[in-house]
């Protein structure tokens, strides 16, 4: 199964990326995901279910430790089981 995660971390700072946003970007870019799009107001990543779920776990833990006060995320199934993914 393939998953797509969309997330934002808060609080926002339009002048400089806060530490929690930088940590979130680091976690997602280091994960073994197929597609990553990091932007100032929202981020998306896509990949195998295990990789996405592992990245989400690390994202939540590390972003909160780095000062995030709110993390909004949505996870969608984008590919059914049996399409070559574990």
């Amino acid at each position: 199964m393939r998953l797509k995660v969309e997330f934002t971390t808060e609080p926002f700072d339009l002048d400089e990326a806060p530490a929690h946003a930088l940590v979130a970007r680091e976690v997602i870019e280091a994960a073994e995901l197929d597609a990553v799009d990091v932007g100032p107001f929202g981020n998306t990543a896509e990949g195998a279910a295990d990789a996405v779920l592992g990245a989400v776990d690390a994202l939540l833990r590390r972003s909160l430790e780095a000062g995030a006060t709110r993390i909004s995320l949505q996870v969608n199934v984008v590919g059914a089981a049996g399409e070559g993914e574990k």
Side-chain angles (χ1 to χ4, degrees):
M1 170 184 344
R2 292 181 56 77
L3 299 176
K4 180 177 182 178
V5 61
E6 301 174 55
F7 66 92
T8 58
T9 62
E10 296 180 42
F12 295 114
D13 183 340
L14 298 178
D15 295 324
E16 183 178 335
H20 59 81
L22 297 175
V23 165
R25 177 183 300 169
E26 177 184 298
V27 167
I28 290 301
E29 289 179 343
E32 294 183 25
L33 302 171
D34 300 330
V36 174
D37 183 21
V38 177
F41 299 107
N43 310 283
T44 61
E46 187 175 318
D50 286 344
V52 171
L53 294 173
V56 166
D57 178 61
L59 168 78
L60 292 171
R61 293 174 189 277
R62 293 194 50 208
S63 295
L64 290 169
E65 290 171 357
T69 57
R70 179 179 179 154
I71 302 169
S72 302
L73 65 91
Q74 178 174 306
V75 178
N76 293 300
V77 175
V78 294
E83 292 183 2
E85 297 292 331
K86 294 181 182 179

